[in-house]
Amino acid sequence: MLILLINYIYYKNLYSKQIHYVKDLLGQQVAIIGSEVNNANITFESDLNEIIMEAQLSDFFNDDTPDVKERVIEELKFYYSKYDNFVETIEYIGPETQVFMLYKDLENDEWISNTYLAQDQKELLKRDNLEPNRNKWDFILPVYGDNGELTGNMTVTVDYIKYFSNLFKKYKVEDQQWQWLINEEGEVVLSNYYDDNISNRANIDNIEIRNLRRIDEDINEGINSNIEHSISVDSNRKKVISSYYAVELLRRDFGMVFSAPADFYQIYIIRNSILIVSLTLVLITLLILLYRRFIKKQAYGETRLKESEQTFIRLIELMPVGVVVINKNNEVLKANESAALMFDYHGEKEMEGKIMPETEHSGQGLFFARNLGPGFEPNQFMVIKKQGIDTVLYRKDIAVSYRGQEAIMSVLMDVTLLEEARKQKARSREVKTEFIKKIGHEIRTPLNGIIGMVDMLARKDVDPETMKIINLVKNSANQLQEIINDMLDLSKIEEGDVVLDEIPFDARKEIEYCFKVEDTLVKEKVKLSLKVDDNVPESIIGDPVRLRQVISNLLAISLQHTARGKVRLEVSAENAGKGIVSLNFDLKDTGTGYDNAILEKLSGDYTEPEGEDLSRRGSNDLGRIIARQLIETMGGTLKVSTPSGISDDPEALGARFAFNIKAYSNIRMDKHYGAEKVERFSEIKTLVVSGTRKRDEELLTTLHKFGLATYVTNWQKQTINLIKSNLEQAEDRYKMIIIVDTPDFDGFEVAKILWENDLSVSFMILMVSSNDKRGNYARCIQYGVDHYLVKPYKGSELLNIIKDSFPRLEKITKPVSSDEIRKDLNILVVEDNLISQKVAATILKSIGYKADLAKDGREGVEKAVKKNYDIVFMDLIMPEMDGYTAAKKILEKSPGTVIIALSADSTDESATKAEIAGIKQFISKPVRQEDIREILIKYFSN
C-alpha cells in the first residue's frame, strides 16, 4: 500500500507537471501567432494607404504618363507579395468606367494584370468600407485627387480563412495538437482537426466543443487564457487543453485556439504506473520468497555447522599429531593433548589463551627444507626447548573457520631425528673439507713449480715451435689453476653450489683451444677431428672456463678408452628462445671397455654404495662428476650410449657422448642515437635515472669532469613520457641514458620499460650497478643495455665506455681557440656562494675577461638595470630572489641578454622552469674552464 501511495503521488505530480507544460507550450505558440496576426493587422491597411497617398493615381490611366502606371503596378505587386496568404485580388476603379485588375496565378507563379473599360460606371464610395464577397471580403478605400475630388476606389479582396489556415499549418501535429478559429459571432469557422483542407466540413461539423461560450466571452473581452475542457468527436468524448488568444485582422475580431489532448498523457502515465507498480510488487514477492528460502537454508546450514564443528573438535582431540587452532592475534583457541605435550603443558586447557610461538628462520629449517624434498620451506620448522633439550617440530598451517571467526589450524609433527641427521652430516662435511684442503695443498705445490718453470722458459730465446709448446703448457697450467678450487672441492660441486660466470666469449676459440690441448695427448693411432657448424655464434655470454672444463674432461674420458681409431666432435647451435642459445655437442669415438656399469656412471644413473670415499675414485670418476654436474648447472643434459655409430669393428664399438649447454646470445641491437655527429663531450646530453632522491655524487662528479651535459631524475610513472617527448627535440635530445641499479632500486625494470616502449634503440644505455648478481649481464643484452659497469669502478673504465660509444670524440683536429670570442663582453656573475664567485671570476679571468659580481638575484637585477650585460651566469637557488625570478626581470629590461644557469640541480623539472624563465643553457657544477669557453664561443664567436 505504501508503494501504491508513493506511485500515486509521484505520477499525479508528474501528470500535473505535464499538463502545466502543455499549457505553457500552447500558450506560447498561440501568443506567437497572435502577435504575428496583430502586426499584420497594423501594417496591412497602413501599407495600402501609403501607396494610395504617394502614387499619382489620377494619371494612372493617362497614356501620356506610362511611367506612373508602371511604378504603381510594381508597388502593388510588392504589397501583394507581402500579404500573399491574405490577398486574393487588387482592383482599382477609376473615373469613366476605367478598371485595373491585378492577381497572381499560383499554379504558374505568374502575375496577371488587366486594364479594361467597364460597361457601367460603378458607384464610387467616398469612405473606406469592408464588405462581404461570398466567402471572402472586399476592403474598399476611396482615392482622391490633388484638388480633393473623388477619382476612384482601391478594392482589395481578402480571404480570412485561407490566411489563418496557412498560419495554423506550422503548428499542426497529428494526434497531438490542432488549431481552430472563432469569429465575432462565437462560431467556429476554421478547424484542422482531421486535415488542413479548409473545405472539409467534417473538421467543424463532426466536432462538438464544450465550454465554447466561456471561451467566446473571454475572447470578446480580450482575455488570453487556457482551459481544460472536453470535446465530442463522432460522439466520443475526449478531454483536451486549449489556449486561446484574441486577435483583430482588418477590422474583424477573431479568437485563435490551440488545443492538445489531455487524456493521452493521463492514459500514458496510468499505463506506466500500473506496469511499474506491478513489476515492483512481483519483485517484492520474489524477494520475500527468496529470503524465506535463504533463511531456511541458513537455519539448516547453522545446524550442519554446529555438527561439523563438534566433529572437527573431536577430530582434533583424537589426532596423533599436535593440532593447535590460533586466531589472527596468534592466541591459542583450541589445542589437543599431543600439542600440549609438545610444548610441555599439563593439558590442552592450560594451553588455550596462550600465545603461539613463532617459527624461526634458522640453519635447521634450511637443512630440513633441502633434504625433505620439494614443497618444504625453512619457516615451516620450529625449534623449542623441552626440559633443556631441543625439539624440532614441522608445522603446516591451514586456514579454517572456528566458532564464527577466521583462524589458522597448525598441524605439528616431531622431526627431532632429522636434526640428529643434520648434525651428523655437518660433522662429515667438516672432515671431508679438512681432507680436501690437505689434498689441495699437495697438488698446488708441484703446480706452482710448473708455472714458475714455464714462465722462466718463456723468457728465453727459443724457436717458434718450442715457444708454441711453452705457451700451450702455460695456458694449460693457468686453466688448471683456475679450476682447481672447484675440482678439488668435490662436496661443493655435488651440492650444486658452483656459481657460473656470465661474460662474453668466443665459443669457437674455446672449443678449438680444448682440442689443441688434447691433441698433444693423442696416441699415434688415434685421429682427433673437430667440426663446428657455421650457425655456432662467435660471441656468446656464459662461463668459458666451465665450458673448457666440460669438453676437456669428456675428451679425456673418450681418449683414455680409445687406443686406435678416431675421436670426432661435432658442434652445432640452435635458438632456444628469449635470447638463449643452445650449443649441442656430439662426441663419438671408437673406444673399447664401455660396459653397462661405466655407461651408468657416465650418464649419472649409477648410485654409489654407502661409505664409498674419494680414495676409491679414479680420475675418470672425478672428471665424470665434474662434467655431468657442470652440464646440468649450465641448463643442459648429458646422454651416453653405445655403439657410437662410426665404427664397424665389433670389438671397438665406441661410445657417443651427446650433451648440450645453454648460453645467452651476445647479439646487440642496432641503435640510432646520432653517435656519428658527436665530436665534443659537451654534446653528449645525458640523463641519469635513479630510484631515490639520494644522488650518486661519485657518478655525477665523474660525468661533470668529462664535461657531459648531465640531467638527473628520479624514476616515476611520468618519466617515460618525458623521455618520449625529449625525442622530438632533434637538436637537444638525450644521447645517453645512465641507469643506477642498487639493492633498493631495480634498474633493470627501467631498462625493461624502455625496451617495451621501443626506446632502447634511440639511446646509448649504460647500467651502473652496486647490486651485481648472476643474470645481470644477460638481462642487459635482453633489454638493449649497451654497457654494464659494476661498482666500484675506475673513471677510466667509464671514459673508455663513452669513447667506445661515441667514436668521433677522438677525431677532433681543430682545437677551440679563445681568440675567436669577442673581447668587448660585459659579463655578470650572480652567485650567493663566495667561493663559487671566485671560481667563476678566476675562470673568466684566465680566458681574458673581467666579470661583475652580485651576491643574490635582487642585486643582480639592480646591476642589470644600471648596465647592459651581454651574458649573465646565474645561480638558481639563492636567498632574497632565486635565479628564475631574476632571469625574468633581467630579460624584461634587456631581452637580448644571454643567461646561463650555474647549478648542480639539472633535473627535467628545473630545466623546464629555466626554459620558461628564458635561461638559454645549463652549466652543471663543478664549473670547468672548457664549459665557460664553449658557451662564449657558441654565443659570441667572431
Side-chain angles (χ1 to χ4, degrees):
M1 294 302 296
L2 179 61
I3 291 173
L4 291 174
L5 178 61
I6 292 173
N7 275 272
Y8 172 76
I9 295 173
Y10 170 75
Y11 283 112
K12 187 175 184 303
N13 184 47
L14 181 63
Y15 175 75
S16 299
K17 289 182 178 179
Q18 189 65 36
I19 295 299
H20 182 71
Y21 167 75
V22 173
K23 289 180 178 179
D24 288 344
L25 178 63
L26 294 176
Q28 291 174 8
Q29 292 175 349
V30 74
I32 292 172
I33 294 296
S35 177
E36 183 177 345
V37 172
N38 289 330
N39 288 334
N41 179 59
I42 295 172
T43 59
F44 184 84
E45 201 170 333
S46 62
D47 289 346
L48 185 60
N49 279 318
E50 184 176 350
I51 294 173
I52 294 173
M53 294 178 65
E54 292 181 356
Q56 299 176 357
L57 294 179
S58 58
D59 296 330
F60 184 82
F61 295 105
N62 189 350
D63 294 335
D64 295 333
T65 57
D67 55 328
V68 173
K69 184 176 183 179
E70 290 178 2
R71 178 169 52 80
V72 172
I73 291 174
E74 289 301 320
E75 289 179 357
L76 291 176
K77 286 181 178 180
F78 178 77
Y79 177 78
Y80 190 110
S81 298
K82 185 176 180 180
Y83 303 101
D84 59 346
N85 287 334
F86 189 33
V87 176
E88 289 288 317
T89 61
I90 299 177
E91 183 181 45
Y92 175 52
I93 302 174
E96 300 177 0
T97 69
Q98 297 180 91
V99 179
F100 170 76
M101 178 74 71
L102 176 68
Y103 62 94
K104 194 171 187 179
D105 186 356
L106 298 179
E107 292 183 359
N108 300 319
D109 195 25
E110 293 181 354
W111 291 101
I112 298 175
S113 60
N114 189 16
T115 304
Y116 61 93
L117 295 175
Q119 294 180 358
D120 298 319
Q121 177 66 40
K122 188 175 182 179
E123 181 181 357
L124 298 178
L125 300 180
K126 296 181 180 181
R127 299 187 61 183
D128 53 348
N129 194 17
L130 182 66
E131 299 177 353
N133 182 1
R134 298 181 182 178
N135 294 330
K136 302 177 179 59
W137 293 76
D138 291 336
F139 179 59
I140 304 170
L141 285 177
V143 179
Y144 292 92
D146 294 337
N147 54 5
E149 296 180 359
L150 180 66
T151 60
N153 284 159
M154 183 70 71
T155 303
V156 180
T157 304
V158 296
D159 189 342
Y160 289 95
I161 304 302
K162 172 187 173 184
Y163 175 77
F164 283 104
S165 178
N166 287 327
L167 284 181
F168 290 168
K169 283 181 182 179
K170 300 178 183 178
Y171 295 92
K172 174 71 165 62
V173 181
E174 193 72 26
D175 298 330
Q176 297 293 325
Q177 184 177 325
W178 75 95
Q179 295 76 33
W180 39 290
L181 186 71
I182 303 175
N183 62 9
E184 299 97 324
E185 291 78 23
E187 300 174 346
V188 177
V189 295
L190 174 65
S191 172
N192 58 7
Y193 183 86
Y194 291 107
D195 52 37
D196 295 327
N197 184 8
I198 57 178
S199 63
N200 184 4
R201 293 299 303 176
N203 285 316
I204 299 174
D205 297 340
N206 295 353
I207 302 173
E208 180 183 353
I209 301 172
R210 306 292 174 89
N211 298 95
L212 181 60
R213 182 183 297 276
R214 175 185 167 184
I215 296 173
D216 181 56
E217 290 174 355
D218 285 350
I219 291 174
N220 289 332
E221 294 178 8
I223 298 174
N224 303 320
S225 183
N226 53 64
I227 186 175
E228 293 183 43
H229 62 118
S230 61
I231 63 174
S232 295
V233 181
D234 297 330
S235 301
N236 294 324
R237 187 174 180 180
K238 296 183 179 181
K239 188 175 182 180
V240 298
I241 304 168
S242 297
S243 291
Y244 45 87
Y245 196 92
V247 295
E248 181 184 355
L249 180 62
L250 194 58
R251 305 184 183 185
R252 293 191 67 194
D253 295 325
F254 295 94
M256 295 190 308
V257 187
F258 278 39
S259 299
D263 53 357
F264 171 79
Y265 302 103
Q266 191 174 13
I267 294 171
Y268 174 78
I269 290 175
I270 291 173
R271 184 175 66 246
N272 285 358
S273 62
I274 292 175
L275 177 62
I276 292 175
V277 169
S278 301
L279 290 176
T280 303
L281 293 176
V282 170
L283 179 61
I284 289 175
T285 304
L286 289 175
L287 288 175
I288 291 172
L289 294 175
L290 289 173
Y291 187 64
R292 183 184 177 196
R293 183 179 177 185
F294 174 75
I295 290 174
K296 286 184 177 181
K297 290 180 69 175
Q298 286 289 97
Y300 176 74
E302 187 176 351
T303 303
R304 292 292 304 272
L305 181 62
K306 289 180 179 179
E307 294 175 356
S308 300
E309 191 170 272
Q310 293 299 323
T311 304
F312 176 64
I313 293 173
R314 289 195 298 270
L315 182 63
I316 290 175
E317 293 172 348
L318 296 174
M319 287 183 69
V321 295
V323 179
V324 180
V325 180
I326 58 176
N327 61 14
K328 62 181 181 180
N329 297 323
N330 215 29
E331 296 174 347
V332 177
L333 302 176
K334 177 67 178 177
N336 64 359
E337 186 175 355
S338 299
L341 292 175
M342 287 178 179
F343 290 96
D344 205 15
Y345 287 99
H346 296 293
E348 61 269 23
K349 293 295 183 182
E350 184 180 350
M351 193 174 178
E352 293 179 5
K354 301 293 191 299
I355 301 298
M356 181 71 175
E358 294 285 350
T359 56
E360 298 179 358
H361 296 275
S362 61
Q364 295 99 320
L366 184 61
F367 169 79
F368 300 141
R370 286 182 176 178
N371 287 275
L372 289 178
F376 294 93
E377 299 293 336
N379 59 358
Q380 291 179 324
F381 297 90
M382 56 191 306
V383 180
I384 60 174
K385 290 286 186 180
K386 182 179 179 182
Q387 298 176 355
I389 301 174
D390 286 346
T391 301
V392 182
L393 302 178
Y394 169 69
R395 174 178 177 176
K396 182 66 175 178
D397 293 338
I398 305 170
V400 296
S401 178
Y402 182 75
R403 293 180 178 175
Q405 61 177 310
E406 298 297 324
I408 297 293
M409 182 177 73
S410 296
V411 181
L412 305 169
M413 297 177 61
D414 191 341
V415 291
T416 308
L417 292 177
L418 286 176
E419 170 65 3
E420 295 298 325
R422 186 191 72 82
K423 292 180 179 178
Q424 181 65 33
K425 187 169 184 178
R427 287 192 293 269
S428 299
R429 185 179 296 173
E430 291 176 2
V431 174
K432 182 192 295 185
T433 302
E434 187 64 28
F435 176 68
I436 294 297
K437 285 182 180 179
K438 291 180 180 180
I439 293 180
H441 176 72
E442 296 298 328
I443 295 177
R444 287 191 184 93
T445 300
L447 181 60
N448 288 334
I450 294 172
I451 294 175
M453 293 300 102
V454 170
D455 284 339
M456 293 180 64
L457 287 174
R459 294 189 181 94
K460 296 183 178 294
D461 294 331
V462 294
D463 59 273
E465 188 65 27
T466 304
M467 180 57 69
K468 181 179 179 182
I469 296 173
I470 292 173
N471 288 333
L472 190 58
V473 173
K474 184 178 180 180
N475 290 336
S476 299
N478 289 335
Q479 180 189 359
L480 181 59
Q481 191 176 29
E482 290 174 356
I483 66 174
I484 193 170
N485 290 331
D486 287 335
M487 187 179 67
L488 293 179
D489 191 1
L490 189 60
S491 61
K492 181 178 180 181
I493 296 177
E494 290 176 341
E495 293 174 10
D497 292 336
V498 177
V499 178
L500 299 177
D501 283 337
E502 290 178 343
I503 59 174
F505 68 93
D506 191 331
R508 292 173 175 270
K509 287 185 178 180
E510 295 299 331
I511 297 170
E512 292 171 357
Y513 170 77
C514 294
F515 255 66
K516 288 180 181 178
V517 173
E518 297 299 330
D519 191 43
T520 61
L521 306 175
V522 172
K523 301 171 185 177
E524 294 181 359
K525 296 182 181 181
V526 177
K527 181 182 179 182
L528 189 62
S529 63
L530 171 66
K531 179 184 178 183
V532 181
D533 284 357
D534 295 336
N535 62 359
V536 175
E538 291 186 357
S539 180
I540 60 175
I541 298 171
D543 193 330
V545 175
R546 299 301 183 187
L547 178 61
R548 275 188 251 142
Q549 195 173 350
V550 170
I551 298 174
S552 298
N553 282 332
L554 293 180
L555 277 174
I557 294 172
S558 184
L559 289 172
Q560 287 178 2
H561 285 81
T562 307
R564 59 185 175 83
K566 50 190 173 183
V567 175
R568 180 191 302 167
L569 176 62
E570 296 179 355
V571 186
S572 62
E574 61 181 350
N575 186 2
K578 295 183 179 180
I580 298 176
V581 177
S582 176
L583 295 181
N584 302 318
F585 298 84
D586 193 359
L587 176 62
K588 302 176 182 178
D589 62 43
T590 57
T592 59
Y594 292 112
D595 56 18
N596 289 334
I598 292 176
L599 292 177
E600 289 177 358
K601 282 187 177 184
L602 291 173
S603 62
D605 298 330
Y606 177 72
T607 303
E608 296 171 357
E610 182 109 12
E612 184 177 4
D613 58 23
L614 185 63
S615 61
R616 298 182 57 186
R617 290 176 174 171
S619 60
N620 282 348
D621 286 344
L622 186 58
R624 170 185 63 81
I625 294 172
I626 294 172
R628 179 174 57 81
Q629 294 209 7
L630 286 178
I631 289 171
E632 293 174 356
T633 304
M634 288 188 282
T637 57
L638 170 64
K639 293 183 180 179
V640 184
S641 60
T642 187
S644 64
I646 63 172
S647 174
D648 297 330
D649 188 351
E651 295 182 358
L653 295 176
R656 180 184 181 186
F657 301 83
F659 66 96
N660 67 303
I661 66 162
K662 298 293 193 302
Y664 293 99
S665 173
N666 196 27
I667 299 176
R668 306 279 181 148
M669 66 170 62
D670 294 330
K671 293 203 172 186
H672 309 284
Y673 51 87
E676 69 281 355
K677 299 180 181 180
V678 176
E679 296 182 349
R680 295 184 177 88
F681 283 94
S682 59
E683 296 174 1
I684 306 175
K685 187 176 180 182
T686 303
L687 177 66
V688 178
V689 180
S690 61
T692 61
R693 296 191 175 275
K694 186 178 180 182
R695 296 149 57 96
D696 190 335
E697 296 297 340
E698 179 186 359
L699 173 63
L700 295 177
T701 301
T702 305
L703 295 174
H704 291 326
K705 287 181 179 179
F706 295 158
L708 272 65
T710 306
Y711 299 83
V712 183
T713 186
N714 305 115
W715 182 257
Q716 299 174 0
K717 290 182 179 180
Q718 62 267 27
T719 305
I720 192 71
N721 295 325
L722 294 175
I723 295 174
K724 287 180 180 179
S725 63
N726 176 262
L727 277 177
E728 300 174 1
Q729 305 174 18
E731 300 298 327
D732 195 31
R733 50 154 293 185
Y734 298 124
K735 300 290 194 303
M736 179 167 62
I737 295 179
I738 299 178
I739 304 173
V740 180
D741 177 51
T742 65
D744 301 328
F745 176 67
D746 187 0
F748 289 96
E749 284 299 319
V750 178
K752 180 181 179 181
I753 294 174
L754 293 175
W755 179 71
E756 289 174 346
N757 285 270
D758 298 326
L759 295 174
S760 300
V761 72
S762 303
F763 303 95
M764 193 284 272
I765 302 178
L766 168 63
M767 182 74 67
V768 178
S769 178
S770 58
N771 187 33
D772 184 38
K773 55 186 177 182
R774 182 182 177 186
N776 279 7
Y777 195 91
R779 294 172 74 188
C780 287
I781 302 299
Q782 181 180 358
Y783 297 134
V785 177
D786 299 275
H787 298 279
Y788 181 62
L789 191 59
V790 180
K791 285 188 170 185
Y793 57 84
K794 296 180 180 179
S796 58
E797 296 180 72
L798 180 56
L799 180 61
N800 290 334
I801 288 174
I802 296 174
K803 287 184 176 181
D804 180 59
S805 302
F806 301 92
R808 291 199 64 188
L809 287 173
E810 297 180 348
K811 298 180 181 180
I812 301 174
T813 56
K814 181 183 176 182
V816 181
S817 174
S818 299
D819 296 335
E820 300 178 8
I821 312 171
R822 282 172 42 198
K823 298 301 180 184
D824 57 338
L825 295 179
N826 293 321
I827 302 174
L828 174 64
V829 176
V830 184
E831 174 65 70
D832 64 320
N833 186 281
L834 295 177
I835 296 177
S836 297
Q837 284 184 5
K838 292 181 180 180
V839 170
T842 303
I843 291 175
L844 289 168
K845 186 177 181 181
S846 66
I847 300 175
Y849 295 93
K850 183 179 180 181
D852 295 337
L853 302 177
K855 64 182 179 181
D856 55 41
R858 190 177 303 281
E859 184 178 346
V861 173
E862 292 174 355
K863 289 194 174 186
V865 170
K866 298 177 181 178
K867 181 178 180 180
N868 289 328
Y869 289 100
D870 298 294
I871 184 169
V872 177
F873 293 96
M874 178 80 69
D875 187 20
L876 296 180
I877 309 301
M878 295 181 292
E880 297 293 329
M881 182 186 294
D882 60 33
Y884 305 108
T885 305
K888 290 180 181 179
K889 292 184 176 295
I890 291 174
L891 291 174
E892 287 175 1
K893 189 260 179 185
S894 302
T897 303
V898 176
I899 301 181
I900 306 297
L902 302 177
S903 177
D905 179 16
S906 55
T907 59
D908 287 343
E909 293 80 6
S910 299
T912 302
K913 289 175 62 179
E915 184 178 354
I916 294 173
I919 296 175
K920 294 287 187 183
Q921 197 167 330
F922 265 79
I923 295 181
S924 300
K925 294 180 180 179
V927 180
R928 299 166 61 250
Q929 181 179 349
E930 185 66 22
D931 297 332
I932 300 290
R933 195 148 55 93
E934 288 188 1
I935 290 293
L936 296 179
I937 290 174
K938 180 177 180 179
Y939 293 101
F940 304 103
S941 173
N942 289 323

